[in-house]
Amino acid sequence: WEIQAQLGKLYCALLAGASASSAEASSVASMLGGVLGCRSPAVATVALAEAAPLLSRWPALLSPFVSSLLSLPPQQRAALLAPNNQPVPVPATSCVLYDIRPLPMRWPPLLVANQLIASAKAQNSPYLESGHVQILSAIFNAPLSESESAAWQQWLLESKDYLYVALCDEDLCEKMSSVLLAIFDFLQDGALASSSTLLSSLRM
């Protein structure tokens, strides 16, 4: 697994200094996407941590990034989503010391949230699952930029059906309620446009 993990680190290092218009760099991004798709939680953990700061410049990585995060075992995903900057252990025996830090302080939250809902729609999922809500909770437990409030309002309008239906799931209701409270606190009056869908969900 460590060969794959080291390849992931190498690809990320190359992309960090590459031009987004470079054909060679696009090929590297594609190879990094393959590493993100690795089934090994240890490889995925390293690749996710290294790729998170690159997502704004390399949006093609968003889909494999979110898919990789969702495929992790819940306990390892929770460690990567921790609301602190403490080191995250790699779930495997290693002879290399990896400095893995939680994702929420390193990723572009709006892009990740957009991709999270886009992936659910692309799979024709009728509702969100626990992994989706876990990621949303991490996004909204971290500071958000006021300059992106209009974009977050649009995200809420496009995501409201998934978010509010999750309130009807007894396993997700509590966590989703906390997510929505954080969204409403951030958007204030900007969240009112989605209120009709919320009321419909509550009637269910």
Side-chain angles (χ1 to χ4, degrees), residues 153-173:
Q153 289 179 38
Q154 185 61 35
W155 177 85
L156 177 59
L157 288 174
E158 294 175 357
S159 310
K160 57 186 172 57
D161 292 340
Y162 279 109
L163 302 180
Y164 294 150
V165 166
L167 293 173
C168 304
D169 186 324
E170 61 181 17
D171 294 326
L172 302 179
C173 181

Side-chain angles (χ1 to χ4, degrees), residues 140-156:
F140 288 100
N141 278 336
L144 300 177
S145 173
E146 292 287 346
S147 65
E148 294 183 329
S149 60
W152 279 113
Q153 289 179 38
Q154 185 61 35
W155 177 85
L156 177 59

Side-chain angles (χ1 to χ4, degrees), residues 185-196:
D185 183 59
F186 175 68
L187 292 180
Q188 298 292 316
D189 290 351
L192 292 176
S194 68
S195 60
S196 60

Side-chain angles (χ1 to χ4, degrees), residues 71-189:
S71 70
L72 281 178
Q75 186 174 359
Q76 187 62 22
R77 184 169 56 240
L80 273 174
L81 296 175
N84 54 52
N85 199 37
Q86 297 301 310
V88 177
V90 176
T93 302
S94 172
C95 60
V96 178
L97 181 62
Y98 291 94
D99 185 20
I100 306 297
R101 301 291 169 165
L103 304 177
M105 298 300 177
R106 310 184 72 209
W107 63 15
L110 181 59
L111 293 181
V112 174
N114 279 328
Q115 181 58 44
L116 191 67
I117 298 302
S119 66
K121 291 180 177 179
Q123 295 170 6
N124 293 317
S125 300
Y127 47 78
L128 299 180
E129 299 183 354
S130 59
H132 296 91
V133 178
Q134 192 178 29
I135 296 171
L136 288 174
S137 180
I139 289 173
F140 288 100
N141 278 336
L144 300 177
S145 173
E146 292 287 346
S147 65
E148 294 183 329
S149 60
W152 279 113
Q153 289 179 38
Q154 185 61 35
W155 177 85
L156 177 59
L157 288 174
E158 294 175 357
S159 310
K160 57 186 172 57
D161 292 340
Y162 279 109
L163 302 180
Y164 294 150
V165 166
L167 293 173
C168 304
D169 186 324
E170 61 181 17
D171 294 326
L172 302 179
C173 181
E174 183 175 354
K175 288 184 178 180
M176 182 52 75
S177 294
S178 297
V179 169
L180 289 171
L181 285 172
I183 295 173
F184 295 162
D185 183 59
F186 175 68
L187 292 180
Q188 298 292 316
D189 290 351

Side-chain angles (χ1 to χ4, degrees), residues 40-58:
S40 164
V43 173
T45 295
V46 174
L48 285 163
E50 295 291 332
L54 302 175
L55 297 176
S56 294
R57 290 186 60 238
W58 299 96

